[in-house]
Amino acid sequence: MIIEIPDILSTEQIAHARRRLESADWEDGKKTAGHQAVQTKNNQQLPTQHPVAKEVGQLILSALSSNPLFLTAALPKEILPPMFNLYTGNESFGTHVDNAIRTLPDGRRIRTDLSCTLFFAEPDEYEGGELIIEDTYGSKEVKLPAGHLILYPSTSLHQVTPVTKGARLCSFFWIQSMVRSDEQRSLLFDLDISIQRLAQAGPDNQAVNDSTVQLTGVYHNLLRQWAEM
Ligand code: NI
């Protein structure tokens, strides 16, 4: 399941974050690339421990924790601290799959179930730089407005096409979900969205109300079966 989540950050938050990010010292993205990715990764990155990365990362994590669409789609158990990358002058990242295991700052390891990219530049500020995600149904080309986020299964092959003009500034990070299977998570997401729709339609209709209660029970009982804590 690939889901776009709009307006994670406001225009003001984006403007503030960009001023901070643009003042920081960026380094070669190859430093954190794995054995296979080092050959295809060609971009700039902000070190995770950089004060600006920490500051803007906190802003993102706090926005995510109160975003209902993100929470219902990702069912997050752990979120890695957001990282940042910058592509200019023909930089790109060839087709790869993200590492399965990553380490949290406290040393615990998490499994990457979901990958996220949050855009900080508007699509018309740069040429190229599409995130291409290979899905079971074909490939999807993603280039979102600033402040919007794309959530996709970390099992997907993906790439960033060369940025031929301007600069593409994004945050990226990984999530271990309470529900490991993308298929089960998608079913829960569809059920949750339908229940919310029914709940809004329901107030005066007893049958709709009863169904909403019953389906909410089904949702929680599936989550009880599938969630890992
Ligand atoms: Ni990647």
Side-chain angles (χ1 to χ4, degrees):
M1 181 172 67
I2 301 178
I3 299 178
E4 180 184 335
I5 301 175
D7 305 317
I8 294 281
L9 296 178
S10 67
T11 315
E12 294 73 29
Q13 287 173 315
I14 288 288
H16 171 76
R18 278 183 66 156
R19 275 195 301 277
R20 302 287 292 130
L21 291 166
E22 281 158 12
S23 72
D25 298 320
W26 291 73
E27 65 179 28
D28 190 338
K30 285 191 197 296
K31 275 196 177 174
T32 58
H35 177 68
Q36 175 236 332
V38 79
Q39 292 161 46
T40 53
K41 189 176 183 186
N42 180 22
N43 65 5
Q44 299 156 67
Q45 222 167 262
L46 207 54
T48 21
Q49 291 313 306
H50 195 292
V52 173
K54 285 187 177 174
E55 177 197 325
V56 181
Q58 253 332 303
L59 179 75
I60 296 170
L61 291 176
S62 133
L64 293 175
S65 70
S66 59
N67 187 296
L69 183 59
F70 169 79
L71 295 173
T72 189
L75 297 170
K77 178 173 183 283
E78 299 274 5
I79 306 178
L80 273 153
M83 296 168 74
F84 298 85
N85 58 20
L86 179 67
Y87 293 78
T88 58
N90 243 20
E91 287 174 327
S92 63
F93 195 165
T95 306
H96 66 280
V97 72
D98 295 338
N99 287 350
I101 309 289
R102 294 241 160 209
T103 309
L104 287 165
D106 64 11
R108 282 179 303 131
R109 284 181 294 184
I110 76 159
R111 184 187 63 232
T112 57
D113 295 321
L114 289 160
S115 300
C116 294
T117 297
L118 172 60
F119 290 76
F120 279 84
E122 296 296 346
D124 61 3
E125 289 181 80
Y126 56 99
E127 279 174 18
E130 285 87 7
L131 170 65
I132 299 179
I133 304 164
E134 287 176 29
D135 192 14
T136 8
Y137 305 108
S139 61
K140 187 174 166 67
E141 218 175 273
V142 183
K143 191 172 184 176
L144 301 180
H148 293 215
L149 174 141
I150 193 89
L151 190 66
Y152 61 98
S154 300
T155 49
S156 324
L157 282 168
H158 56 278
Q159 61 170 303
V160 177
T161 64
V163 173
T164 52
K165 203 174 170 188
R168 176 193 192 267
L169 175 61
C170 286
S171 172
F172 64 102
F173 50 93
W174 293 274
I175 295 163
Q176 179 169 336
S177 177
M178 291 187 285
V179 176
R180 174 185 192 155
S181 150
D182 184 56
E183 210 173 345
Q184 291 173 340
R185 211 183 312 110
S186 303
L187 289 170
L188 288 170
F189 178 73
D190 287 345
L191 185 54
D192 193 358
I193 296 296
S194 308
I195 291 168
Q196 288 176 37
R197 217 175 285 139
L198 275 180
Q200 278 167 10
D204 307 321
N205 184 320
Q206 196 55 48
V208 172
N209 277 335
D210 292 347
S211 301
T212 308
V213 171
Q214 195 167 20
L215 289 172
T216 304
V218 172
Y219 177 88
H220 283 284
N221 291 332
L222 285 174
L223 189 55
R224 215 184 309 277
Q225 289 206 29
W226 293 339
E228 304 159 6
M229 307 308 288

